[in-house]
Amino acid sequence: MTQETAARRHAPGRGRGLPARLLANPATALSLAFLFLVTLVVFGGEPLAPRDPNHSSLHDILVGPGGDYPLGTDGAGRDVLSRLLVATRISVLAALLALAVALLLGVAGGMLAGYYGGWFDTVSTWLTSLVMSLPAIVVLLAARAVLGPSVWLSMAIFGVILSPVFFRLVYSLVSSVREELYVDAARVSGLGDARILGRHILAVVRAPIIIQAAIVTSTAIAIQSGLEFLGLGDPSVPTWGSMLNEGFANIYRAPMLLLWPAVAIALTSVALAVLANTLRDELEGGARPAGGPQTAEDGPRETAHAPVRHRPEETGTGRELLSVRGLRVGYRTPAGVREVVHGIDLSVDRGEVHGLVGESGSGKTQTAFAVMGLLSRGGRVLAGSAVFEGNDLLAGGEADRARVRGRGIGYVPQEPMSNLDPSFTIGSQLVEPLRVCLGMDRRAARARALGLLERVGIPDPERTFSAYPHQVSGGMAQRVLIAGAVSTEPALLIADEPTTALDVTVQAEVLDLLRDLQQDLDMGVLLVTHNFGVVADLCDRVSVMRSGHIVESGPTREIFRDAEHPYTQSLLDSILDGGSARGPLAPTDRKDVDR
Amino acid sequence: MTEPLLDVRDVEVRYPGRGLRSKGFLALRGVSLDIREGETVGLVGESGSGKTTLGRAILGLAPVTSGSITYRGREISGLPRRQRRTLSDQIQVVFQDPYSSLNPSMTIEAILSEPLTVRGGAGREARDRIAELLDQVALPSDAGRRLPREFSGGQRQRIAIARALALEPRLIVCDEAVSALDLSNQKRILRLLTEIQEDSGVSYLFVSHDLAVVRHVSHRVAVMYRGEIVESGDGDTVTSDPEHPYTRRLLLAAPVPDPDLQARRRRERAALAARENHERTV
């Protein structure tokens, strides 16, 4: 699923532009409007100030709002409105200074360290950890003591302290993108590093940086106001924090003084937080692909013809173990329910291996998942039944189905590694179902698990039992999963591409193992695969799926010998195995090589 | 006798390990291989055999610690980045994964124009070339304005091939180029690659784990196992009547799509395994 999440990360929804989508959310629209107002004040507010913000008039101390002073005056007789306008400019610009310093250090450092690695990586990571371990307030107090009271200086220093936020964000994104094949492809294309960083890497880190910037700016405003409120700022420079300080000093005589800077700080912080949230939703969560599996890619859609059935009289022999009738599976999408399996019939007899073949998107895995009740989110069975030993697996509650699944049906997945929990030993993962499903005690379950590991051909069962999944190879992990699947001696084994992730020599061994176990335990097997070699090796019967329909079904030999449906024929024609080799490079092919 | 297009001699690749005293991981142990003009050399092996590393070493993406790689007589291993970049119109690549080899946020046009801008093609000229490339890989001409996620796996692989062809290289490293594709798409892409070769005389190093695929496209085949080439030679011989025990094991392990042939192959494999076991114990 990495590519899917990658696509999600990189691709904001198309259609409407980002500004339009941001404005569609009322809270965000209000926030943006407020931030726009703040911006206007920052750049055009000073000339609007009716008076010099530092001019104190001893006749007008603590005058209430109205008249000459729209917002009144403070304890030194200074015009509050003028001070608020100028303070907005200074507070916001100082916060932006912190942001700029943090961005410059963090983004540049993170990109270089993540992309090049090496000594720069080591040094900058160490420095980042050092900076992160420093308590910000203490550093800022010390800086004020040494360098004097300046909101600009303290915010620049705070920017350095904040830079690890960006460094770590960018560093982790860049080091993961650097491994992407498209970056390799760009290098092979002859692009220089600067261009790769600009085109491929910056594009990935842009959205997270913007979101983080909104958060960091509001942090800077809060810290700055805190420092100034403590009275550590330059008294001649009005800021929101120093106005708070002033208001606090006169809180009993003129409580309104506290209100204006507090409102400014709170609203700016809230607006930034709301904006950051919406940006995150829009930039990172936008364009979420519709739920559900992919659909068939090329070729026309299959119309609902009845499947070609070889020897249909053989069904209903009384040996039927699993009988699927009229199964329809659909996924919820914004445009309604999309059906991916269009009413198929399928049966697996006792002791029979039934292959379900098809290309990606044909619905074969969805069919198997539906039978087991493992459809991914948004998916559900729309119609049909799947009768297993007299019980309909698709009716009834989840609890009933879970009981049948645990004892009667075993499952071997495609990716062995992702189906073992990395934080538990292999042994404990094998023992648990034995204890839960079969009610064995600890000792018996352990003995049984060791026996199973030996049975599936693991050379040193004791060691594998106490190993963690990452300590064994993919082939061994698949053997472990097979051991787990057959541990309850199920009557039916559902194997979803059980050898696709394995090397071909390991695949051969795993196929041998599956055949042995199937014969020993007389299991019915539903084998989902795209590989006709695997079908030829294991299956007694085959059903060929395409676009959610079964197009042909019959005994394996007959399907290989005389497939009737054109799709089956075209699939068999695409097989390269057993075809002729290309042969050596003929001299005529070599126009400019004379040998 | 002219010299080969690409000549790999005793190449060793060692990835640095963690920590000072770690010796690192030896991915290639003295590998030699040559590719002639217009030829496809198949490189087959299982995961961890070093086949991908050899491809990456030729592309300048893996650290060659000893040995030489010469292209048209010029040493190209260990070149500094700046000089390496001048080779971009000679050696190109098609990767396995058609999902992660295309930047999901760039349009097809931007992806295809990337190598062209390196050469300094002007806007008009580049656009004509892109149309030509899309036509060459049989994609609709309006594909340029769309994003990679709007295309299927097979179509994406065509885009990756078009990108590789943009600078008209003489050698393309195809790293598992069809492994992620469905059967029918796989065959179509292989046909496309062969046609391109017949038209342009480009050479391929075709890296794959699939013996059948390699047999289908390669003039010559080399088999890798644990960082070494254990067998190489004429494609038909290596893939149907191999000498090295590992190649034989590899050949017999691949299930054939015919129940009776496969049953026979299974017996042969069991016999070979029994013989090998016997030899080991004696």
PDB file of all heavy atoms in Angstrom, chain A residues 259-282:
ATOM      1  N   LEU A 259      -8.047  43.552  27.947  1.00  0.00           N
ATOM      2  CA  LEU A 259      -8.876  42.884  26.945  1.00  0.00           C
ATOM      3  C   LEU A 259      -8.261  42.929  25.550  1.00  0.00           C
ATOM      4  O   LEU A 259      -8.164  41.919  24.864  1.00  0.00           O
ATOM      5  CB  LEU A 259     -10.257  43.542  26.936  1.00  0.00           C
ATOM      6  CG  LEU A 259     -11.264  42.908  25.966  1.00  0.00           C
ATOM      7  CD1 LEU A 259     -11.651  41.531  26.457  1.00  0.00           C
ATOM      8  CD2 LEU A 259     -12.499  43.792  25.817  1.00  0.00           C
ATOM      9  N   TRP A 260      -7.816  44.134  25.112  1.00  0.00           N
ATOM     10  CA  TRP A 260      -7.420  44.299  23.701  1.00  0.00           C
ATOM     11  C   TRP A 260      -6.242  43.394  23.307  1.00  0.00           C
ATOM     12  O   TRP A 260      -6.357  42.650  22.333  1.00  0.00           O
ATOM     13  CB  TRP A 260      -7.123  45.762  23.390  1.00  0.00           C
ATOM     14  CG  TRP A 260      -8.214  46.671  23.903  1.00  0.00           C
ATOM     15  CD1 TRP A 260      -8.107  47.601  24.877  1.00  0.00           C
ATOM     16  CD2 TRP A 260      -9.575  46.664  23.478  1.00  0.00           C
ATOM     17  NE1 TRP A 260      -9.308  48.202  25.108  1.00  0.00           N
ATOM     18  CE2 TRP A 260     -10.237  47.644  24.267  1.00  0.00           C
ATOM     19  CE3 TRP A 260     -10.314  45.932  22.551  1.00  0.00           C
ATOM     20  CZ2 TRP A 260     -11.599  47.933  24.126  1.00  0.00           C
ATOM     21  CZ3 TRP A 260     -11.656  46.223  22.412  1.00  0.00           C
ATOM     22  CH2 TRP A 260     -12.292  47.189  23.187  1.00  0.00           C
ATOM     23  N   PRO A 261      -5.143  43.437  24.042  1.00  0.00           N
ATOM     24  CA  PRO A 261      -4.046  42.532  23.621  1.00  0.00           C
ATOM     25  C   PRO A 261      -4.425  41.067  23.759  1.00  0.00           C
ATOM     26  O   PRO A 261      -4.041  40.248  22.918  1.00  0.00           O
ATOM     27  CB  PRO A 261      -2.893  42.894  24.568  1.00  0.00           C
ATOM     28  CG  PRO A 261      -3.516  43.593  25.714  1.00  0.00           C
ATOM     29  CD  PRO A 261      -4.739  44.273  25.182  1.00  0.00           C
ATOM     30  N   ALA A 262      -5.236  40.757  24.816  1.00  0.00           N
ATOM     31  CA  ALA A 262      -5.614  39.354  24.999  1.00  0.00           C
ATOM     32  C   ALA A 262      -6.432  38.876  23.814  1.00  0.00           C
ATOM     33  O   ALA A 262      -6.213  37.781  23.280  1.00  0.00           O
ATOM     34  CB  ALA A 262      -6.398  39.182  26.290  1.00  0.00           C
ATOM     35  N   VAL A 263      -7.372  39.720  23.347  1.00  0.00           N
ATOM     36  CA  VAL A 263      -8.194  39.351  22.195  1.00  0.00           C
ATOM     37  C   VAL A 263      -7.300  39.163  20.969  1.00  0.00           C
ATOM     38  O   VAL A 263      -7.435  38.196  20.206  1.00  0.00           O
ATOM     39  CB  VAL A 263      -9.274  40.429  21.948  1.00  0.00           C
ATOM     40  CG1 VAL A 263      -9.864  40.280  20.562  1.00  0.00           C
ATOM     41  CG2 VAL A 263     -10.360  40.328  23.011  1.00  0.00           C
ATOM     42  N   ALA A 264      -6.360  40.079  20.799  1.00  0.00           N
ATOM     43  CA  ALA A 264      -5.496  39.987  19.618  1.00  0.00           C
ATOM     44  C   ALA A 264      -4.706  38.683  19.633  1.00  0.00           C
ATOM     45  O   ALA A 264      -4.619  37.978  18.617  1.00  0.00           O
ATOM     46  CB  ALA A 264      -4.551  41.194  19.579  1.00  0.00           C
ATOM     47  N   ILE A 265      -4.124  38.358  20.790  1.00  0.00           N
ATOM     48  CA  ILE A 265      -3.306  37.140  20.883  1.00  0.00           C
ATOM     49  C   ILE A 265      -4.177  35.906  20.671  1.00  0.00           C
ATOM     50  O   ILE A 265      -3.857  35.026  19.858  1.00  0.00           O
ATOM     51  CB  ILE A 265      -2.627  37.058  22.266  1.00  0.00           C
ATOM     52  CG1 ILE A 265      -1.600  38.179  22.401  1.00  0.00           C
ATOM     53  CG2 ILE A 265      -1.961  35.700  22.457  1.00  0.00           C
ATOM     54  CD1 ILE A 265      -1.092  38.356  23.812  1.00  0.00           C
ATOM     55  N   ALA A 266      -5.301  35.869  21.351  1.00  0.00           N
ATOM     56  CA  ALA A 266      -6.139  34.676  21.281  1.00  0.00           C
ATOM     57  C   ALA A 266      -6.655  34.464  19.874  1.00  0.00           C
ATOM     58  O   ALA A 266      -6.555  33.366  19.317  1.00  0.00           O
ATOM     59  CB  ALA A 266      -7.301  34.805  22.272  1.00  0.00           C
ATOM     60  N   LEU A 267      -7.192  35.533  19.275  1.00  0.00           N
ATOM     61  CA  LEU A 267      -7.785  35.356  17.946  1.00  0.00           C
ATOM     62  C   LEU A 267      -6.724  34.961  16.925  1.00  0.00           C
ATOM     63  O   LEU A 267      -6.957  34.103  16.065  1.00  0.00           O
ATOM     64  CB  LEU A 267      -8.495  36.641  17.505  1.00  0.00           C
ATOM     65  CG  LEU A 267      -9.852  36.885  18.164  1.00  0.00           C
ATOM     66  CD1 LEU A 267     -10.500  38.149  17.594  1.00  0.00           C
ATOM     67  CD2 LEU A 267     -10.776  35.692  17.962  1.00  0.00           C
ATOM     68  N   THR A 268      -5.537  35.554  16.999  1.00  0.00           N
ATOM     69  CA  THR A 268      -4.492  35.211  16.034  1.00  0.00           C
ATOM     70  C   THR A 268      -4.095  33.748  16.197  1.00  0.00           C
ATOM     71  O   THR A 268      -3.973  33.011  15.210  1.00  0.00           O
ATOM     72  CB  THR A 268      -3.265  36.114  16.239  1.00  0.00           C
ATOM     73  OG1 THR A 268      -3.714  37.463  16.305  1.00  0.00           O
ATOM     74  CG2 THR A 268      -2.285  35.954  15.099  1.00  0.00           C
ATOM     75  N   SER A 269      -3.930  33.318  17.438  1.00  0.00           N
ATOM     76  CA  SER A 269      -3.532  31.930  17.667  1.00  0.00           C
ATOM     77  C   SER A 269      -4.607  30.966  17.185  1.00  0.00           C
ATOM     78  O   SER A 269      -4.318  29.977  16.506  1.00  0.00           O
ATOM     79  CB  SER A 269      -3.260  31.678  19.153  1.00  0.00           C
ATOM     80  OG  SER A 269      -2.204  32.494  19.567  1.00  0.00           O
ATOM     81  N   VAL A 270      -5.870  31.280  17.523  1.00  0.00           N
ATOM     82  CA  VAL A 270      -6.953  30.397  17.102  1.00  0.00           C
ATOM     83  C   VAL A 270      -7.026  30.357  15.580  1.00  0.00           C
ATOM     84  O   VAL A 270      -7.155  29.283  14.969  1.00  0.00           O
ATOM     85  CB  VAL A 270      -8.293  30.857  17.710  1.00  0.00           C
ATOM     86  CG1 VAL A 270      -9.459  30.135  17.052  1.00  0.00           C
ATOM     87  CG2 VAL A 270      -8.293  30.609  19.208  1.00  0.00           C
ATOM     88  N   ALA A 271      -6.911  31.505  14.949  1.00  0.00           N
ATOM     89  CA  ALA A 271      -7.011  31.552  13.491  1.00  0.00           C
ATOM     90  C   ALA A 271      -5.912  30.704  12.863  1.00  0.00           C
ATOM     91  O   ALA A 271      -6.145  29.960  11.907  1.00  0.00           O
ATOM     92  CB  ALA A 271      -6.919  32.992  13.004  1.00  0.00           C
ATOM     93  N   LEU A 272      -4.708  30.809  13.405  1.00  0.00           N
ATOM     94  CA  LEU A 272      -3.599  30.020  12.851  1.00  0.00           C
ATOM     95  C   LEU A 272      -3.831  28.525  13.060  1.00  0.00           C
ATOM     96  O   LEU A 272      -3.570  27.715  12.161  1.00  0.00           O
ATOM     97  CB  LEU A 272      -2.280  30.444  13.497  1.00  0.00           C
ATOM     98  CG  LEU A 272      -1.719  31.782  13.003  1.00  0.00           C
ATOM     99  CD1 LEU A 272      -0.575  32.244  13.892  1.00  0.00           C
ATOM    100  CD2 LEU A 272      -1.254  31.665  11.559  1.00  0.00           C
ATOM    101  N   ALA A 273      -4.345  28.161  14.225  1.00  0.00           N
ATOM    102  CA  ALA A 273      -4.576  26.742  14.500  1.00  0.00           C
ATOM    103  C   ALA A 273      -5.645  26.176  13.572  1.00  0.00           C
ATOM    104  O   ALA A 273      -5.493  25.087  13.003  1.00  0.00           O
ATOM    105  CB  ALA A 273      -4.987  26.544  15.958  1.00  0.00           C
ATOM    106  N   VAL A 274      -6.736  26.962  13.391  1.00  0.00           N
ATOM    107  CA  VAL A 274      -7.803  26.497  12.496  1.00  0.00           C
ATOM    108  C   VAL A 274      -7.267  26.333  11.078  1.00  0.00           C
ATOM    109  O   VAL A 274      -7.510  25.336  10.393  1.00  0.00           O
ATOM    110  CB  VAL A 274      -8.980  27.499  12.523  1.00  0.00           C
ATOM    111  CG1 VAL A 274      -9.952  27.189  11.387  1.00  0.00           C
ATOM    112  CG2 VAL A 274      -9.687  27.437  13.857  1.00  0.00           C
ATOM    113  N   LEU A 275      -6.475  27.318  10.659  1.00  0.00           N
ATOM    114  CA  LEU A 275      -5.928  27.270   9.310  1.00  0.00           C
ATOM    115  C   LEU A 275      -5.021  26.051   9.142  1.00  0.00           C
ATOM    116  O   LEU A 275      -5.093  25.339   8.141  1.00  0.00           O
ATOM    117  CB  LEU A 275      -5.150  28.559   9.038  1.00  0.00           C
ATOM    118  CG  LEU A 275      -4.581  28.693   7.625  1.00  0.00           C
ATOM    119  CD1 LEU A 275      -5.708  28.760   6.616  1.00  0.00           C
ATOM    120  CD2 LEU A 275      -3.692  29.918   7.524  1.00  0.00           C
ATOM    121  N   ALA A 276      -4.171  25.799  10.147  1.00  0.00           N
ATOM    122  CA  ALA A 276      -3.263  24.647  10.068  1.00  0.00           C
ATOM    123  C   ALA A 276      -4.044  23.355   9.950  1.00  0.00           C
ATOM    124  O   ALA A 276      -3.720  22.487   9.140  1.00  0.00           O
ATOM    125  CB  ALA A 276      -2.358  24.606  11.305  1.00  0.00           C
ATOM    126  N   ASN A 277      -5.133  23.261  10.721  1.00  0.00           N
ATOM    127  CA  ASN A 277      -5.951  22.045  10.687  1.00  0.00           C
ATOM    128  C   ASN A 277      -6.565  21.818   9.316  1.00  0.00           C
ATOM    129  O   ASN A 277      -6.506  20.724   8.760  1.00  0.00           O
ATOM    130  CB  ASN A 277      -7.076  22.162  11.708  1.00  0.00           C
ATOM    131  CG  ASN A 277      -6.776  21.307  12.911  1.00  0.00           C
ATOM    132  OD1 ASN A 277      -6.191  20.247  12.772  1.00  0.00           O
ATOM    133  ND2 ASN A 277      -7.155  21.781  14.077  1.00  0.00           N
ATOM    134  N   THR A 278      -7.168  22.884   8.771  1.00  0.00           N
ATOM    135  CA  THR A 278      -7.815  22.726   7.473  1.00  0.00           C
ATOM    136  C   THR A 278      -6.774  22.433   6.401  1.00  0.00           C
ATOM    137  O   THR A 278      -7.004  21.623   5.505  1.00  0.00           O
ATOM    138  CB  THR A 278      -8.596  23.998   7.107  1.00  0.00           C
ATOM    139  OG1 THR A 278      -9.067  24.579   8.294  1.00  0.00           O
ATOM    140  CG2 THR A 278      -9.720  23.658   6.189  1.00  0.00           C
ATOM    141  N   LEU A 279      -5.635  23.099   6.518  1.00  0.00           N
ATOM    142  CA  LEU A 279      -4.582  22.848   5.527  1.00  0.00           C
ATOM    143  C   LEU A 279      -4.171  21.386   5.570  1.00  0.00           C
ATOM    144  O   LEU A 279      -3.968  20.756   4.530  1.00  0.00           O
ATOM    145  CB  LEU A 279      -3.363  23.716   5.816  1.00  0.00           C
ATOM    146  CG  LEU A 279      -3.373  25.135   5.244  1.00  0.00           C
ATOM    147  CD1 LEU A 279      -2.164  25.894   5.740  1.00  0.00           C
ATOM    148  CD2 LEU A 279      -3.393  25.105   3.732  1.00  0.00           C
ATOM    149  N   ARG A 280      -4.052  20.864   6.785  1.00  0.00           N
ATOM    150  CA  ARG A 280      -3.646  19.458   6.893  1.00  0.00           C
ATOM    151  C   ARG A 280      -4.673  18.558   6.205  1.00  0.00           C
ATOM    152  O   ARG A 280      -4.333  17.681   5.437  1.00  0.00           O
ATOM    153  CB  ARG A 280      -3.498  19.057   8.356  1.00  0.00           C
ATOM    154  CG  ARG A 280      -3.261  17.550   8.500  1.00  0.00           C
ATOM    155  CD  ARG A 280      -2.712  17.184   9.848  1.00  0.00           C
ATOM    156  NE  ARG A 280      -3.304  17.935  10.913  1.00  0.00           N
ATOM    157  CZ  ARG A 280      -2.613  18.618  11.828  1.00  0.00           C
ATOM    158  NH1 ARG A 280      -1.306  18.596  11.799  1.00  0.00           N
ATOM    159  NH2 ARG A 280      -3.215  19.286  12.774  1.00  0.00           N
ATOM    160  N   ASP A 281      -5.959  18.841   6.496  1.00  0.00           N
ATOM    161  CA  ASP A 281      -6.989  18.019   5.861  1.00  0.00           C
ATOM    162  C   ASP A 281      -6.927  18.131   4.352  1.00  0.00           C
ATOM    163  O   ASP A 281      -7.035  17.151   3.632  1.00  0.00           O
ATOM    164  CB  ASP A 281      -8.380  18.451   6.350  1.00  0.00           C
ATOM    165  CG  ASP A 281      -8.557  18.126   7.818  1.00  0.00           C
ATOM    166  OD1 ASP A 281      -7.715  17.386   8.348  1.00  0.00           O
ATOM    167  OD2 ASP A 281      -9.524  18.625   8.420  1.00  0.00           O
ATOM    168  N   GLU A 282      -6.754  19.357   3.880  1.00  0.00           N
ATOM    169  CA  GLU A 282      -6.822  19.562   2.437  1.00  0.00           C
ATOM    170  C   GLU A 282      -5.567  19.057   1.725  1.00  0.00           C
ATOM    171  O   GLU A 282      -5.637  18.451   0.670  1.00  0.00           O
ATOM    172  CB  GLU A 282      -7.024  21.049   2.119  1.00  0.00           C
ATOM    173  CG  GLU A 282      -8.417  21.529   2.414  1.00  0.00           C
ATOM    174  CD  GLU A 282      -9.466  20.799   1.581  1.00  0.00           C
ATOM    175  OE1 GLU A 282      -9.141  20.366   0.456  1.00  0.00           O
ATOM    176  OE2 GLU A 282     -10.599  20.641   2.060  1.00  0.00           O
TER     177      GLU A 282
END
